[in-house]
């Protein structure tokens, strides 16, 4: 009888310990160790979660917490908790795929300000001056660009394939480092310089948000 009572006390003690709320540090550690994090969240933590596929468009100047973690975060590591619109959550990076990135610079001529013929003439003149080393792309970007990149001497940083105007993407694939070319869009004329690349880098991440 005493052995039975002792056995039951041991079971009760184990169940009590199992049912005790886990600390944030324990939750994060167990998630990082789990071979199947979504299943752990569903069956053990009994929490709601959402899977998000996040595309990294640039390697600097991130648009949000999501693409910053998608690029810089460590695989399987749990980050947070974060709070957004009153909802507290953790974020875990489950998987990652590479993408092709190009470092590009741009001079943008707005065709709502300049007529097509004037923009075209100015664009050809800029390209001629760069190719014949009569001026630098950086100086011309400061002088003529009508986009925000005028403050960065035209530099747009490393930009992901598939995140920019398709015509620019297509031309970049055929270009080599240092090439300068023009592409038209509905907004105006884009004079692009392939500053560096292409290179492979963190491009897409599968992330899980665990709602607390």
């Amino acid at each position: 009888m005493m052995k039975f009572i002792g056995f039951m006390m041991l079971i009760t003690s184990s169940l009590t310990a199992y049912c005790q709320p886990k600390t944030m540090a324990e939750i994060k550690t167990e998630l990082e160790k789990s071979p199947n994090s979504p299943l752990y969240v569903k069956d053990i933590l009994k929490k709601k979660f959402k899977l998000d596929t996040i595309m990294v468009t640039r390697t600097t100047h991130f648009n949000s917490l999501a693409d910053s973690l998608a690029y810089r975060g460590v695989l399987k590591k749990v980050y947070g908790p974060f709070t957004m619109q009153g909802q507290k959550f953790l974020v875990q990076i489950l998987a990652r795929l590479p993408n092709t990135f190009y470092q590009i610079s741009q001079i943008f001529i707005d065709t709502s300000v300049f007529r097509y013929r004037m923009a075209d003439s100015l664009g050809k003149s800029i390209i001629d001056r760069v190719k014949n080393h009569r001026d630098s792309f950086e100086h011309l970007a400061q002088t003529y660009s009508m986009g925000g990149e005028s403050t960065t001497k035209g530099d747009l940083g490393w930009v992901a394939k598939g995140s920019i105007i398709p015509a620019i993407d297509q031309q970049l694939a055929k270009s080599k480092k240092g090439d300068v070319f023009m592409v038209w869009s509905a907004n105006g004329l884009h004079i692009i310089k392939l500053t560096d690349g292409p290179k492979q880098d963190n491009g897409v991440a599968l992330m899980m948000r665990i709602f607390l």
Side-chain angles (χ1 to χ4, degrees):
M1 175 63 89
M2 292 301 294
K3 288 183 178 180
F4 177 75
I5 293 172
F7 179 67
M8 291 302 295
M9 288 178 67
L10 180 61
I11 292 176
T12 302
S13 175
S14 299
L15 287 173
T16 301
Y18 183 78
C19 294
Q20 285 179 345
K22 295 180 185 295
T23 66
M24 190 62 65
E26 288 173 335
I27 290 173
K28 292 170 77 171
T29 298
E30 291 181 12
L31 272 170
E32 289 171 0
K33 290 181 178 179
S34 173
N36 190 329
S37 299
L39 191 63
Y40 176 84
V41 173
K42 176 178 176 290
D43 290 348
I44 306 300
L45 292 182
K46 307 293 185 184
K47 300 289 187 182
K48 291 183 178 179
F49 67 90
K50 183 180 180 182
L51 299 179
D52 299 302
T53 301
I54 307 297
M55 181 177 180
V56 178
T57 58
R58 297 190 184 188
T59 60
T60 55
H61 310 298
F62 299 105
N63 297 318
S64 65
L65 169 68
D67 60 341
S68 175
L69 286 176
Y71 180 68
R72 291 180 171 167
V74 177
L75 199 63
K76 291 289 288 180
K77 186 172 177 60
V78 179
Y79 295 89
F82 305 104
T83 301
M84 185 179 295
Q85 298 178 342
Q87 176 70 65
K88 185 181 284 188
F89 60 94
L90 298 171
V91 174
Q92 184 180 31
I93 303 170
L94 300 179
R96 182 179 278 128
L97 291 172
N99 195 5
T100 301
F101 287 79
Y102 300 92
Q103 186 179 12
I104 63 174
S105 297
Q106 172 178 259
I107 299 172
F108 174 66
I109 309 299
D110 191 342
T111 48
S112 69
V113 177
F114 288 97
R115 291 185 178 180
Y116 175 90
R117 185 175 295 177
M118 178 61 185
D120 184 63
S121 176
L122 179 57
K124 289 175 180 176
S125 173
I126 288 171
I127 289 179
D128 180 69
R129 289 161 72 180
V130 171
K131 287 185 174 180
N132 288 291
H133 307 289
R134 286 189 281 114
D135 209 336
S136 70
F137 193 96
E138 294 73 20
H139 178 252
L140 292 168
Q142 288 181 302
T143 305
Y144 293 108
S145 187
M146 305 174 76
E149 67 277 356
S150 61
T151 59
T152 63
K153 298 182 179 180
D155 183 33
L156 296 181
W158 288 93
V159 180
K161 179 181 179 181
S163 67
I164 49 180
I165 297 168
I168 295 178
D169 249 349
Q170 293 166 12
Q171 189 62 44
L172 284 171
K174 298 183 289 185
S175 300
K176 62 181 184 296
K177 182 178 176 179
D179 283 355
V180 181
F181 58 87
M182 298 194 317
V183 169
W184 292 92
S185 73
N187 298 317
L189 176 63
H190 307 260
I191 304 165
I192 302 295
K193 178 183 178 182
L194 177 53
T195 309
D196 202 357
K199 72 171 184 177
Q200 294 291 299
D201 207 340
N202 298 331
V204 181
L206 177 64
M207 303 200 306
M208 176 171 63
R209 280 187 288 165
I210 305 104
F211 300 101
L212 303 173

